[in-house]
Amino acid sequence: MLWALFSDVHANEPALEAVLAAIESERPDRILCLGDLVGYGANPREVIDRVRDLGCETVVGNHDLAAVGRLDASCFNMYAREAVRWTAEQLRAEDREYLLSLPLVADAGPIAAVHGTRDDPEEFFYLQSTEHASELLEDQPLFLGACGHTHVPLTFLRVGDEVLATFAKNVDLRRCSRALVNVGSVGQPRDEDPRACFVLFDDDRRSLEIRRVEYDVESATRRIREAGLPQLLADRLWHGL
Ligand code: ZN
């Protein structure tokens, strides 16, 4: 079975359209979304409509919860807080209802999905160390863990007693007993590669592929400026920061 996984769209409609076109051409059996549909970008309603219409398994992200008032945004930086305030004003009743309906975690086939980390999904911890990944892999009920949140694609593999981290674009999973992948970000990559990111997981071949897709950054940044959102949120998209 072929799975397509994406996360952190952050209301960037041009990036989402480019990723969904790339995903469609791969004809995956199933699609998973790891949350943060909104926040930062200028098209929250359009992105929610598109993801909802996909009908794919989707977990909720911290920016989604902040936009509907279910998460205190005071710990966000000032640009993110401004985006939360603006986003909350844009959402229609059905958008709020949809975001509130999304679970914090979801199990789909061999994949255990969460936006942050499974040890405390409501805390939205950033998975950034091999030590943390080791603990998570220890308790992971399914073969592949999938998350987003850091906007940096990265895979952890448990091989024997060891846990290894890799930034490789193609990852062979045949030797590992468990794996945990951060699928990067569609709408606001932060690994200095401005291209939109998604992941293909071939369950039969036991392989992962981190895919990057060019999209119309100019259009996304113009919309952010026209919406009156902070200029920095537009500028960073050019640099993948
Ligand atoms: Zn995010």
Side-chain angles (χ1 to χ4, degrees):
M1 202 177 217
L2 184 65
W3 298 76
L5 297 88
F6 69 93
S7 188
D8 295 272
V9 180
H10 285 294
N12 185 337
E13 190 188 18
L16 178 63
E17 288 306 332
V19 161
L20 291 181
I23 286 177
E24 215 163 276
S25 71
E26 297 294 332
R27 300 186 176 281
D29 298 289
R30 291 195 49 191
I31 302 176
L32 267 181
C33 172
L34 284 312
D36 271 3
L37 279 64
V38 302
Y40 300 131
N43 294 106
R45 293 188 300 258
E46 293 81 356
V47 164
I48 288 173
D49 281 345
R50 194 73 166 93
V51 174
R52 184 174 40 205
D53 290 350
L54 282 176
C56 65
E57 199 90 55
T58 301
V59 293
V60 76
N62 54 323
H63 285 260
D64 303 322
L65 290 175
V68 294
R70 285 293 171 92
L71 185 138
D72 179 10
S74 61
C75 61
F76 286 17
N77 67 49
M78 60 182 281
Y79 305 106
R81 281 203 308 275
E82 175 61 17
V84 166
R85 195 191 56 72
W86 181 87
T87 302
E89 287 172 2
Q90 309 301 314
L91 297 183
R92 303 157 296 192
E94 66 260 37
D95 301 326
R96 282 190 288 277
E97 202 175 303
Y98 172 69
L99 294 177
L100 285 165
S101 76
L102 298 175
L104 281 161
V105 298
D107 290 341
I111 304 176
V114 65
H115 184 69
T117 58
R118 280 263 183 159
D119 46 0
D120 200 342
E122 269 179 276
E123 284 297 320
F124 295 101
F125 293 132
Y126 290 95
L127 170 57
Q128 283 170 320
S129 74
T130 308
E131 290 72 27
H132 192 183
S134 298
E135 291 166 18
L136 295 168
L137 285 162
E138 195 67 42
D139 297 330
Q140 190 174 291
L142 299 168
F143 177 71
L144 182 68
C147 64
H149 196 35
T150 66
H151 299 204
V152 176
L154 171 62
T155 310
F156 296 95
L157 311 168
R158 192 168 79 188
V159 182
D161 293 336
E162 260 192 309
V163 172
L164 317 161
T166 176
F167 289 102
K169 299 299 168 219
N170 289 285
V171 187
D172 184 345
L173 304 175
R174 283 174 300 180
R175 283 174 57 236
C176 57
S177 55
R178 289 279 188 276
L180 178 51
V181 63
N182 187 314
V183 304
S185 171
V186 171
Q188 197 194 77
R190 293 181 193 158
D191 60 346
E192 300 182 29
D193 182 342
R195 294 175 300 169
C197 190
F198 72 99
V199 163
L200 291 168
F201 167 52
D202 190 324
D203 191 14
D204 305 313
R205 290 190 191 151
R206 290 274 149 125
S207 65
L208 271 183
E209 193 185 343
I210 313 285
R211 280 282 183 92
R212 302 309 283 254
V213 187
E214 304 269 358
Y215 76 94
D216 190 346
V217 179
E218 172 65 45
S219 171
T221 58
R222 192 182 60 243
R223 295 178 200 193
I224 286 172
R225 278 196 307 276
E226 286 172 0
L229 282 158
Q231 178 68 30
L232 177 124
L233 298 179
D235 293 343
R236 66 190 303 176
L237 296 181
W238 291 106
H239 307 289
L241 288 171

